[in-house]
Amino acid sequence: MTPLMSKDLPDNPGKEALMITVEHAPGGSSAVHRHNAHAFVYVLEGSVVMQLKGGQPVTLTAGQSFYEGPDDIHVVDRNASSTQPAKFLVLLIKDKGAQALVPAQ
């Protein structure tokens, strides 16, 4: 995870926007987690498989997007390829100072 920008949202006191990029090596993935934020994902390169608890897995390619709500648990977040890297941009709208990534079960 690479932080790109953090910005207070004056029209929404106590909230901030955080923009990050996430890169997965071929075959790479993230552990089960949540964001406690509204998370807007946009795939920049490669392809990724995303799945929220209770939902079906979806495979996204460059130019496609995905949304996670504050109460969602992200059970699958992995590179769909075992040979090519994947990179995506995430915009998080969250409580100011709250952790961007929280481990979940």
Side-chain angles (χ1 to χ4, degrees):
M1 178 177 87
T2 303
L4 299 176
M5 169 191 257
S6 179
K7 182 78 174 153
D8 288 347
L9 300 174
D11 291 346
N12 294 286
K15 298 287 186 183
E16 67 182 346
L18 173 64
M19 188 180 297
I20 62 174
T21 54
V22 177
E23 295 185 54
H24 287 321
S29 65
S30 294
V32 175
H33 64 276
R34 62 185 301 144
H35 294 290
N36 295 330
H38 294 278
F40 300 87
V41 176
Y42 180 79
V43 181
L44 297 169
E45 60 186 65
S47 59
V48 293
V49 178
M50 302 283 187
Q51 182 180 1
L52 301 178
K53 186 174 184 177
Q56 295 297 313
V58 294
T59 301
L60 306 168
T61 57
Q64 293 184 303
S65 57
F66 185 78
Y67 170 78
E68 295 175 59
D71 298 322
D72 289 329
I73 297 177
H74 203 163
V75 295
V76 176
D77 170 4
R78 68 176 170 81
N79 189 336
S81 173
S82 60
T83 60
Q84 299 295 316
K87 183 176 182 177
F88 52 96
L89 178 74
V90 184
L91 174 64
L92 299 164
I93 308 296
K94 63 186 193 65
D95 290 339
K96 186 171 172 56
Q99 275 186 286
L101 185 79
V102 179
Q105 301 258 344

